[in-house]
Amino acid sequence: MLTDSIKILKGIGEKRQKSLNDMGIYTIKDLLYHFPYKYKDISQKEFFENKVNGDEIAANVKVTGKPFYRRVNKSLNYLSFYLTDGKTKCKCTLFNQQYYLGKINPGDEFILIGIVKKEKNAFEVINPKIIYPDENTPDIITQYRLPNTIKQKSFEKLIVKALDSINGKLDETLPAAVLTNYNICDLNIAVRQIHFPESMVSLADAQYRMAFEEMYFFIMLLRRIRKNNQVKSPIPIKYSDQELTNFLNALPFKMTNAQRKATDEILIDIAGKNPSSPIMNRLLQGDVGCGKTVVAMAAIYITFINGYQSALMAPTEILAMQHYDECRKILEPLGVKTALLTSSLSAAEKSEIRERLLSGRIDLLVGTHAIIQSSVIFSNLALAVTDEQHRFGVNQRALLSQKNEYCHMLVMSATPVPRTLALIIYGDLDISTIDELPPGRKKVHTRIVSNEKRNDMYKYISENIKDGQQSYIVCPLIEESDKLDALSVSELYKELKNGHFAGISIGLLHGKMSDEEKNRMLNDFSSGKLRALISTTVIEVGVNVPGATIMVIENAERFGLAQLHQLRGRVGRNDKESWCFMTTGSNNAASTERLKIMTQTNDGFVISEKDLELRGPGQFLGMKQSGLLDTRVLALINNYELVARVKEAADKTENGELGKIQDIVFNLALSRYESQIKDIVLN
Ligand code: ADP
Ligand code: MG
């Protein structure tokens, strides 16, 4: 039985069982679903001459020289020898593998799988996999992620036993019609081929199937949860052209076409005129600085005209305060009574706001997560806007919309979600995209600055500051709870104050400061009193100081691409040339490669696709680790056509076009994903 404990397999003692449990493997099924993470086809023999540094190779080789052994100390020894693939000589070094001592001799032949190190024309392979082939050697060699305590070979043996124990009797999880319509192979075949592929083609079929299945149930479960949360009948928020014109005329600028289009889409939604949904459930996405806030304000204004309340929730105090200021500037002259609620208000202030809110004397409440506390009760909330939605846990968003179950929901994000992911996680959310920046904005020039050039950079910046520019300088230590956080920005602050920025008025900003202090710093920077702001990433999200034209990001290699893009978006907000300097002490090729992407594009979408490729989907889903959308599915996520097909299959199943899935099979499959999915459902 699949649900049997792995204990029943021969060869699993207490110690091994514990090792497997530690990996999350308890049952036969868990074991069978622990797939290899790497495959190497050794049926096509390869040659060193065709490889560049860093390539993987699988070659038939012959040992040419007598091995040399050296014991460096108690914990380090190595065995080194030369071999040839028939064309090219290569050095092979085995570290700490005494097992091979005396076993490798000139003339020996084996298959070698490893990573090629190539310097000039000399080849070396370190710690390769060595296979002495016999008639049982498969064409495709697999590799599992395993702790040191479990050897690849013995894990493979366990898989064989597990497969034997269930004897091809895995219950099919996908409806038969899905299998035939989408050309998907049987589960039993797939699981066997995933572990012991006969060819790369059968492996691809098997992987396709497993990924399809995973994504399919993932989408089905999302649907099911959303359905349960579906609202009754929403409040229609009507508007006239005249009212919209009044709002547009109150703006200090003309909306871009993209902003106008998004505004129209939103107003149609809240009027209840969107045929696909009677209530607004919309994602408003657009690159940093494209002007999402005023689009939200248009909806807030119209909601106010209809006599209803709105809420605007921001992920940080700074951003909430800034939104509050901007909303007041534009909306108060139009009669919208606005209040700010953050956790740093005094108890008396909070209770005063709650009282006004409940009695309907506040039209717009701006705030942090403080506004979703149960003590905060609106008199007639009709529109809930959350900014930078990926920063909020799903539960927080859900709570806000539950303040009134008829509430229209708008989420805003400057982290463009790659479209494959959007399709999955925003399945039935409508999406508006602002794909245009306000006129006059200039591309931010972006440079990578090595350690040696760091002094020159600060010298250049100090000259620019004396010339009237303003600069942000960001340090990497991120978590606001991190004790080191304040220390490291203050260090840089001191360094600059006593060095390059001597005589320049500079400020310090980090998450440990009181909100009053933070606000004062930001105001002083905004008003131009401070010429440079040394900050942690508290300024990452949304902060808007149009006068700043230089962004320095220290230790940029520590940040994700999406985050770098956010930070860079703080500058380039006026008609002057803007610069983004990313310093890095790292010589790591991969991280330099990553930073280079920033110098090549200013397009948030391109950057997010790259980020997805490089760092996985967890960050987009608002959680650190996404167990589910893991290695297996990641390959699929980058394949838009495939995701679209899975979504179609899920739609058709839902409509009953593909027959009915047996409840018991369905629920069993769903139960695997439930806990993980709960974390990321939008509403
Ligand atoms: P984001 O989309 O990143 O949240 P904001 O809403 O903060 O961007 O807008 C960035 C800045 O651009 C703000 O100062 C805002 O007032 C200004 N802005 C927005 N729309 C326009 C426009 N159409 N023309 C000129 N400036 C605009
Ligand atoms: Mg914003």
Side-chain angles (χ1 to χ4, degrees):
M1 281 265 291
L2 278 173
T3 49
D4 283 342
S5 161
I6 44 174
K7 253 194 330 220
I8 66 158
L9 297 178
K10 275 216 188 79
I12 295 200
E14 236 167 70
K15 242 165 104 188
R16 171 133 307 176
Q17 188 184 358
K18 172 143 195 328
S19 299
L20 289 166
N21 287 171
D22 287 347
M23 299 163 62
I25 297 175
Y26 293 90
T27 63
I28 303 282
K29 182 163 176 184
D30 297 338
L31 188 63
L32 287 176
Y33 274 78
H34 188 78
F35 299 161
Y37 75 98
K38 226 175 107 181
Y39 298 88
K40 181 73 190 168
D41 185 352
I42 57 168
S43 66
Q44 308 296 319
K45 295 301 175 306
E46 301 174 319
F47 294 94
F48 287 104
E49 62 182 14
N50 302 326
K51 299 289 175 181
V52 299
N53 191 33
D55 277 356
E56 191 179 45
I57 190 167
N60 278 324
V61 297
K62 188 173 185 172
V63 178
T64 54
K66 213 173 140 46
F68 169 82
Y69 176 74
R70 176 144 183 256
R71 186 169 179 272
V72 181
N73 57 38
K74 222 166 70 187
S75 54
L76 181 68
N77 62 73
Y78 62 86
L79 187 66
S80 188
F81 52 93
Y82 281 93
L83 47 78
T84 175
D85 62 6
K87 296 179 173 188
T88 311
K89 194 168 94 165
C90 174
K91 187 177 172 183
C92 177
T93 307
L94 305 174
F95 284 101
N96 291 347
Q97 299 193 41
Q98 284 109 316
Y99 166 81
Y100 284 109
L101 201 55
K103 291 212 173 76
I104 288 180
N105 295 299
D108 283 1
E109 292 183 30
F110 52 78
I111 298 168
L112 163 149
I113 305 175
I115 303 296
V116 174
K117 273 180 73 179
K118 185 180 175 189
E119 238 170 75
K120 302 242 168 70
N121 272 325
F123 289 92
E124 183 174 7
V125 175
I126 292 171
N127 287 349
K129 198 177 170 78
I130 292 174
I131 298 167
Y132 294 98
D134 58 30
E135 66 275 13
N136 293 323
T137 306
D139 280 350
I140 295 162
I141 303 291
T142 60
Q143 202 157 341
Y144 294 89
R145 259 184 239 291
L146 296 172
N148 289 336
T149 48
I150 306 177
K151 292 233 165 358
Q152 297 285 334
K153 260 269 158 306
S154 54
F155 191 80
E156 275 174 34
K157 281 186 190 146
L158 286 180
I159 297 285
V160 172
K161 283 179 198 157
L163 282 171
D164 287 349
S165 85
I166 52 127
N167 200 13
K169 289 203 193 82
L170 285 167
D171 283 329
E172 183 54 59
T173 50
L174 292 169
V178 171
L179 292 186
T180 47
N181 281 22
Y182 294 89
N183 208 1
I184 289 164
C185 74
D186 173 85
L187 179 60
N188 286 288
I189 296 173
V191 170
R192 188 168 280 279
Q193 288 298 318
I194 284 257
H195 291 289
F196 301 106
E198 279 158 26
S199 69
M200 289 314 258
V201 174
S202 66
L203 172 64
D205 282 351
Q207 286 179 316
Y208 177 92
R209 190 232 131 88
M210 298 318 295
F212 192 106
E213 170 182 335
E214 192 132 312
M215 195 67 76
Y216 175 83
F217 284 109
F218 182 77
I219 291 176
M220 294 292 262
L221 188 54
L222 278 182
R223 294 278 159 84
R224 190 170 276 202
I225 296 172
R226 287 226 178 94
K227 216 182 227 163
N228 290 341
N229 289 345
Q230 216 137 70
V231 276
K232 328 280 168 334
S233 58
I235 305 161
I237 304 291
K238 306 276 181 234
Y239 76 100
S240 68
D241 288 346
Q242 187 53 51
E243 284 157 356
L244 179 59
T245 306
N246 289 348
F247 173 79
L248 295 176
N249 286 343
L251 294 178
F253 43 72
K254 191 168 173 292
M255 270 197 186
T256 60
N257 289 334
Q259 284 173 313
R260 278 289 290 118
K261 182 161 168 277
T263 304
D264 285 342
E265 286 164 353
I266 289 167
L267 294 182
I268 286 170
D269 278 1
I270 60 179
K273 288 187 184 143
N274 179 345
S276 72
S277 165
I279 196 159
M280 177 162 72
N281 246 317
R282 185 171 289 275
L283 171 72
L284 175 60
Q285 63 174 0
D287 222 336
V288 280
C290 72
K292 293 180 288 292
T293 322
V294 289
V295 172
M297 278 192 230
I300 291 168
Y301 173 69
I302 298 296
T303 303
F304 155 76
I305 291 287
N306 279 259
Y308 290 98
Q309 291 174 313
S310 300
L312 171 55
M313 183 162 79
T316 64
E317 302 253 1
I318 292 183
L319 193 52
M321 289 187 277
Q322 203 167 289
H323 278 330
Y324 175 62
D325 286 342
E326 267 183 49
C327 286
R328 265 207 322 191
K329 239 186 278 165
I330 289 168
L331 293 172
E332 291 229 312
L334 294 168
V336 182
K337 290 188 286 305
T338 306
L340 175 69
L341 182 65
T342 64
S343 45
S344 61
L345 295 185
S346 72
E349 288 168 321
K350 280 185 202 160
S351 93
E352 194 247 35
I353 286 179
R354 284 199 295 265
E355 197 271 317
R356 276 164 56 207
L357 192 66
L358 186 58
S359 61
R361 282 178 290 142
I362 290 173
D363 303 311
L364 167 63
L365 184 65
V366 181
T368 54
H369 52 274
I371 69 179
I372 54 177
Q373 279 155 10
S374 58
S375 56
V376 178
I377 305 165
F378 292 81
S379 73
N380 61 0
L381 181 69
L383 172 66
V385 184
T386 48
D387 193 14
E388 301 301 343
Q389 57 82 28
H390 70 289
R391 286 303 187 103
F392 284 105
V394 172
N395 285 338
Q396 290 176 326
R397 288 191 296 256
L399 276 173
L400 183 57
S401 72
Q402 278 161 22
K403 290 269 166 202
N404 179 341
E405 58 180 337
Y406 305 113
C407 182
H408 295 284
M409 192 80 183
L410 180 67
V411 296
M412 305 198 284
S413 176
T415 304
V417 175
R419 46 188 201 133
T420 44
L421 252 193
L423 198 59
I424 301 162
I425 56 181
Y426 300 129
D428 33 359
L429 262 197
D430 296 305
I431 300 183
S432 291
T433 303
I434 303 181
D435 52 5
E436 181 183 355
L437 292 180
R441 294 280 171 77
K442 290 208 166 141
K443 177 170 164 285
V444 180
H445 305 286
T446 305
R447 298 282 183 275
I448 302 172
V449 178
S450 64
N451 262 342
E452 303 82 66
K453 291 277 168 67
R454 192 166 165 270
N455 269 321
D456 293 349
M457 173 188 77
Y458 277 121
K459 197 161 151 244
Y460 171 84
I461 295 173
S462 70
E463 279 158 17
N464 270 279
I465 288 177
K466 284 172 192 154
D467 242 23
Q469 311 288 314
Q470 279 180 287
S471 175
Y472 291 100
I473 292 137
V474 175
C475 277
L477 295 171
I478 300 156
E479 304 287 356
E480 296 200 349
S481 61
D482 190 337
K483 285 215 172 58
L484 295 168
D485 198 15
L487 226 184
S488 95
V489 266
S490 7
E491 260 168 16
L492 184 67
Y493 177 78
K494 266 191 227 138
E495 179 195 326
L496 289 173
K497 190 145 193 73
N498 302 322
H500 289 292
F501 288 5
I504 295 173
S505 144
I506 67 177
L508 176 67
L509 185 69
H510 59 75
K512 285 251 162 85
M513 290 163 47
S514 77
D515 293 307
E516 229 182 294
E517 281 176 296
K518 275 194 245 172
N519 208 11
R520 195 171 35 110
M521 279 296 167
L522 215 58
N523 280 338
D524 286 351
F525 187 57
S526 183
S527 71
K529 207 165 124 194
L530 293 176
R531 309 310 299 169
L533 194 60
I534 325 295
S535 172
T536 58
T537 52
V538 289
I539 57 129
E540 173 196 344
V541 163
V543 167
N544 183 31
V545 177
T549 53
I550 301 170
M551 167 63 69
V552 177
I553 306 168
E554 292 269 17
N555 289 108
E557 75 277 0
R558 296 230 194 163
F559 297 95
L561 285 179
Q563 209 177 6
L564 290 171
H565 183 63
Q566 277 285 335
L567 287 168
R568 178 170 62 182
R570 300 307 111 218
V571 297
R573 291 180 170 239
N574 62 25
D575 50 9
K576 298 211 187 68
E577 297 289 328
S578 288
W579 291 87
C580 173
F581 298 110
M582 303 180 295
T583 75
T584 172
S586 160
N587 293 321
N588 178 304
S591 78
T592 312
E593 215 35 56
R594 211 161 56 88
L595 292 182
K596 260 200 199 137
I597 294 168
M598 293 297 297
T599 65
Q600 289 157 355
T601 179
N602 269 274
D603 183 330
F605 270 99
V606 174
I607 288 171
S608 75
E609 302 270 354
K610 289 279 178 198
D611 220 17
L612 175 65
E613 225 173 276
L614 295 169
R615 298 202 314 156
Q619 54 181 325
F620 295 102
L621 305 177
M623 50 183 173
K624 287 243 151 62
Q625 197 74 43
S626 150
L628 168 73
L629 293 173
D630 214 343
T631 35
R632 249 174 301 163
V633 180
L634 195 57
L636 179 78
I637 276 184
N638 289 324
N639 183 338
Y640 184 80
E641 307 321 315
L642 209 48
V643 175
R645 230 172 294 159
V646 178
K647 196 170 140 87
E648 183 196 281
D651 283 339
K652 287 191 171 169
T653 312
E654 202 81 322
N655 300 339
E657 283 176 55
L658 291 174
K660 214 173 135 35
I661 319 180
Q662 288 175 319
D663 277 349
I664 180 163
V665 178
F666 190 63
N667 290 334
L668 205 75
L670 289 187
S671 68
R672 273 181 45 215
Y673 309 119
E674 199 145 30
S675 61
Q676 298 169 58
I677 287 177
K678 265 198 198 118
D679 287 343
I680 66 161
V681 180
L682 261 180
N683 51 56

